[in-house]
Structure formats: structure tokens, C-alpha cells
Amino acid sequence: MSVTMTDHTWFIVAIILYMLLMLAIGYWSYRQTDRYDEYMLAGRSLGPVVAALSAGAADMSGWLLMGLPGALFVTGLSESWIAVGLCIGAAINWRLVAPRLRAYTEVAGNSITIPSFLENRLHDSSHVLRIIASLVILVFFTFYVSSGMVSGGKYFESTFGGSYLDGMLIIAIVTVAYTFIGGFLAVSYTDAVQGIIMFGALVIVPVGAYIVVHGDYDVFSYATSNVYGPHPNGNPTYFSLFSGISAAAIIGNLAWGLGYFGQPHIIVRFMALRSPKEARAGMFVTVFWMVICALGLPLRRLWARCTSVLTRSVPSPTRPPTRRSSWTWGGCCSTR
């Protein structure tokens, strides 16, 4: 008697294996951690690849796979200026901030947190600077972490048809578990694994989708001439970087990269590098990872836009003949 596993079953198996892997990394990190500075800053032992991938995944996370693709999905390629600004900002951050911060945090009383570094570096004996910095991080990162939980809940709801709240709780429990057990080393390595998965999804999915849907029609012209969202007559400027967007909007999108210089969850990776010299290698890894992911985003949204129209149940007079696909955008695919 043969047993056939459905796509839904494969999704469940994949997510269970993924969570078990995260917990296993947490336990492995626990076994590597003995001292307080190892728990809080991985003993300043991160290599450039792990530091770069973990910083990228921690920065992008659900925003890279849901937020920015959604903007590209509806508006077009003009939203890519955000990705351009982020790539430039990340490169400058690694080039200018990373080596200096790595060196000075060790010199300034071996500081292992951003608030303690600011206090030690500026010789603030009143502790006011440490308190203010800690409060700022606590308040704003509460919202940041909440957005990650929301992404997890949305994923569970859309993929498994389950409860949004249950999805958030599962993500929260697993994340808190491996963080509490393994400390910063666990956070860095789990983020690095997630960065590899994100990279693979943004490379493999567009290529696979192109193979699946391109044989029946010209994907690029079809994406600009069919009804979708706010464009009742299609969007002929879908692939333009400059049409439909002002110079001020372009500058504003590019300015997103300025945020990198003060994001604690990014620059703390600089503090955990093995040495200041490894910041240069980390910069190259970061730029490569971000550029490839940024190139994959428009293609991913293009195929999603085409297949969302092609798989509608309502016939369209402009729809070209096509074969249907069970392609899904979570990183897994199958055709029938």
C-alpha cells in the first residue's frame, strides 16, 4: 500500500525539521558557552561569513520575503531603489563602522553591549547614557520583534491554513528557546542558516518559476499589460526604475540605507568578529548576499504576479493559453 504525501504534508514536515534544526543549534551553542562574554557576544569568535549572513538575515527577515516583494508586486521596479540604498548602506557600514567598533569595544573596557560601549567610550560615570540607550533599544525593538512574530503568524496562516495566533506562539517559543539556551552564538548561527535559506529561495524560486511559466507566452510583456491591483489597464512602466516615481521618492528610498549605522542587532555582529581585519571579508560577503537577493526580488514578484493572474478561476479574454502549476512561494515547488 503506497502512501502519497501532499504538498501540505511536505510543508509541515519541512517546518518541523527546520525548527528542530534551530533548537539543535541552540543546544550546540550551549555546549560551546562557558563564560558570560561567550553567552552575550559569542566570545568574539564569529567569522566573517557567519557574521555577514546572520546580520543580513537579522536585518531583512520577513521584510525581505514579504514586505519589499509586496511593494514590487503592486508598484513595479521603481521600488527597487530601496534595495539599492540598503546595499550601499550595508557596504559602507561594514567598511567604516565594523572594524572601528570591533576594536574600540574591546579597548573600552571590553564592552559587550552597545549601551555599555557608549558609557565606557564616552566616560559617562553617571550611567545616564547607558540607561537612555537601553530604554531606546527596549522600546523600539519591542515593535521590531513583534513584526517578526507577525510575519511568522502570517506564514502559518497562509501556508497551513492554521491559526494566526498559534503561528505566532510557535515562532515565539522556538525563538526564545534557542536564544535562552545558546545565547548570542545560537542567535548568530541560526540567523546564518536562515540567511542561506533566504538566499536559496530568492535564487531558485525565480529560476524555477521562469522555467514553469515562460514556455507559453512572453512573461515580461504579459506582466505589463494585464489588470492587477491599482492598474485597471495594466502597468506599462512596471519595469521602469524612473517612471511613476519622483526624485524625492528615489532619494527617500535610497536613504533607507542610513539606518544601518545605528541598528543594534546589526552592529553587535561587528563587536563579535574575531578581529577588526575580518570586517573587510564580511563586507564582501554581505554585498554579494544582498545584491543577489535584491536581483531575485523583482523576478520573484514578476512570476508571482503572472501566476496569480493565470491561476484565477474567472476567465480573462486577454489570458494566453497556459499550463497550471502548483508553484508556491515559500521556497518549495512541485508541478503537475
Side-chain angles (χ1 to χ4, degrees):
M1 179 179 178
S2 62
V3 178
T4 302
M5 295 185 68
T6 64
D7 289 347
H8 185 76
T9 305
W10 280 115
F11 284 145
I12 294 176
V13 171
I15 199 67
I16 290 175
L17 291 176
Y18 168 79
M19 290 183 175
L20 289 176
L21 175 61
M22 298 298 103
L23 293 173
I25 292 174
Y27 178 72
W28 172 82
S29 301
Y30 164 75
R31 297 294 300 270
Q32 309 300 313
T33 302
D34 294 320
R35 304 189 310 271
Y36 176 69
D37 66 316
E38 291 177 340
Y39 184 81
M40 293 295 294
L41 207 59
R44 299 187 190 271
S45 63
L46 294 187
V49 175
V50 173
L53 289 176
S54 65
D59 167 48
M60 300 296 190
S61 59
W63 176 85
L64 179 67
L65 296 176
M66 297 176 68
L68 183 57
L72 291 166
F73 190 47
V74 175
T75 306
L77 206 60
S78 59
E79 293 294 334
S80 295
W81 289 109
I82 297 175
V84 174
L86 292 177
C87 290
I88 295 173
I92 297 175
N93 198 26
W94 274 92
R95 180 67 180 86
L96 299 181
V97 177
R100 292 167 173 81
L101 187 63
R102 171 60 181 85
Y104 275 107
T105 50
E106 191 169 17
V107 172
N110 194 28
S111 305
I112 58 175
T113 65
I114 298 299
S116 64
F117 165 69
L118 293 175
E119 179 181 86
N120 294 334
R121 182 71 177 86
L122 300 176
H123 307 289
D124 177 27
S125 58
S126 67
H127 306 300
V128 172
L129 190 57
R130 180 197 287 256
I131 294 172
I132 293 176
S134 300
L135 288 175
V136 169
I137 293 173
L138 177 63
V139 171
F140 289 98
F141 263 72
T142 298
F143 296 103
Y144 178 83
V145 172
S146 298
S147 69
M149 299 299 105
V150 168
S151 295
K154 290 289 186 182
Y155 172 78
F156 270 84
E157 186 178 41
S158 61
T159 303
F160 305 116
S163 167
Y164 168 75
L165 179 59
D166 290 344
M168 283 200 302
L169 290 176
I170 292 172
I171 292 293
I173 290 171
V174 173
T175 303
V176 170
Y178 70 68
T179 302
F180 181 77
I181 294 171
F184 187 75
L185 186 64
V187 171
S188 298
Y189 273 88
T190 53
D191 281 347
V193 171
Q194 292 162 16
I196 294 172
I197 294 173
M198 293 161 63
F199 181 88
L202 289 169
V203 171
I204 296 172
V205 170
V207 173
Y210 181 84
I211 295 172
V212 170
V213 303
H214 184 62
D216 295 322
Y217 57 91
D218 186 348
V219 175
F220 295 94
S221 62
Y222 186 73
T224 61
S225 58
N226 281 265
V227 177
Y228 186 79
H231 305 288
N233 299 315
N235 182 10
T237 62
Y238 189 85
F239 293 102
S240 174
L241 283 170
F242 300 97
S243 297
I245 186 171
S246 65
I250 292 176
I251 294 173
N253 287 344
L254 289 173
W256 279 53
L258 296 175
Y260 278 122
F261 302 100
Q263 295 186 26
H265 62 304
I266 302 299
I267 60 179
V268 73
R269 265 75 178 184
F270 303 161
M271 298 164 57
L273 286 169
R274 285 191 295 249
S275 73
K277 294 180 180 179
E278 296 196 337
R280 180 178 175 82
M283 178 188 69
F284 288 120
V285 174
T286 296
V287 171
F288 176 78
W289 184 87
M290 292 187 70
V291 168
I292 298 300
C293 288
L295 291 175
L297 280 174
L299 293 176
R300 184 174 183 266
R301 288 298 88 193
L302 168 62
W303 312 137
R305 179 171 181 173
C306 291
T307 53
S308 69
V309 176
L310 292 172
T311 54
R312 290 174 185 167
S313 59
V314 179
S316 170
T318 61
R319 179 191 297 177
T322 181
R323 58 179 178 272
R324 290 183 180 271
S325 167
S326 61
W327 189 273
T328 57
W329 302 108
C332 302
C333 68
S334 63
T335 57
R336 61 177 179 269

